[in-house]
């Protein structure tokens, strides 16, 4: 667990210069917010593993068995990736970055915490994971509704997708990985397309059709896929997750998740 903490810490330290490379008050503010949240989460992980070692005599992160320690680690990792209700930093930070660094933050930076979440998921309290998942899906749906900034939209979309990944983690980790892979692919497509068009607001997309029709079509399809519209790839993980939730006798959870996906779809369609 010391190694895990160290890896997360190096990960944070490495992206800080990338975030602060634009000498702009907003970039500096985003970098500071990001650094503080990540440092807090890393300290919580270290605290939880120390507590586990103290009570159980085991330093291995796979064998974290003390309930308080597992809960603390899960919440710390949730803070690291920006799951609701610890999501408040994510839209703000993403809004302050350029599209390239935003891409790194939305994709690569999620991998390390997710690897740890996958490892400890079997010992974690299922109710906690379900709560985090449902809240994130709802917050991701509601939060994106009145946004005009594309980076904030992508941040809320990220929160919603992470919610879907967390909700299924306790039943089928393979589906979580599938969802993560597809999410990373689609988000990369979105960020790179927006970077080519140099657009960060919704209204600049409206003017893009005469200039780059092919790219605009691609962006539209990527957005619909992110929203999870049936013939497109993004629908597959949502469908499989809803099916698995129904199999696990959680119809209410499945219904809430599906409804929150409709909220997300509304702002993607816009």
């Amino acid at each position: 667990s010391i190694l895990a903490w160290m890896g997360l810490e190096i990960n944070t330290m490495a992206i800080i210069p990338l975030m602060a490379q634009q000498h702009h008050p907003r970039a500096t503010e985003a970098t500071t917010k990001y650094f503080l949240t990540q440092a807090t989460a890393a300290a919580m992980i270290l605290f939880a593993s120390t507590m586990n070692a103290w009570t159980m005599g085991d330093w291995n992160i796979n064998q974290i068995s003390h309930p308080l320690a597992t809960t603390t680690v899960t919440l710390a990792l949730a803070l690291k990736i920006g799951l609701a209700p610890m999501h408040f930093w994510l839209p703000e930070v993403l809004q302050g970055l350029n599209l390239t660094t935003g891409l790194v933050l939305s994709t690569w930076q999620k991998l390390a915490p997710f690897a740890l979440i996958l490892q400890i998921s079997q010992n974690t309290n299922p109710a906690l994971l379900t709560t985090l998942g449902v809240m994130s899906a709802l917050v991701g749906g509601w939060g994106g509704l009145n946004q005009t900034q594309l980076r904030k939209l992508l941040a809320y979309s990220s929160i919603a997708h992470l919610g879907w990944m967390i909700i299924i983690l306790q039943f089928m980790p393979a589906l979580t990985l599938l969802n993560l892979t597809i999410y990373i692919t689609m988000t990369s497509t979105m960020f790179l397309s927006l970077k080519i068009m140099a657009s960060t607001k919704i209204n600049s997309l409206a003017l893009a059709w005469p200039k780059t029709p092919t790219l605009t079509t691609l962006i539209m399809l990527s957005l619909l896929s992110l929203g999870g519209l049936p013939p497109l790839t993004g629908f597959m993980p949502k469908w499989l997750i809803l099916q698995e939730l129904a199999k696990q006798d959680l119809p209410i959870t499945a219904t809430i998740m599906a409804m929150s996906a409709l909220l997300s779809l509304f702002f993607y369609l816009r």
Side-chain angles (χ1 to χ4, degrees), residues 137 164 227 238 242 245 251-265:
W164 281 88
K238 285 190 166 60
L242 286 174
L245 286 173
I252 297 164
T253 312
T255 312
I256 295 173
M257 294 301 281
M259 290 301 170
S260 68
L262 284 178
L263 280 172
S264 296
L265 194 57

Side-chain angles (χ1 to χ4, degrees), residues 112-152:
F114 243 101
L116 294 178
I117 290 177
L118 275 166
Q119 285 178 40
I120 61 162
S121 61
Q122 299 314 314
N123 304 334
T124 311
N125 179 4
L128 175 67
L129 289 176
T130 308
T131 312
L132 286 172
V134 171
M135 277 192 75
S136 298
L138 285 170
V139 163
W142 279 119
L145 286 180
N146 56 354
Q147 298 297 339
T148 55
Q149 294 283 353
L150 291 170
R151 282 167 297 185
K152 277 204 170 143

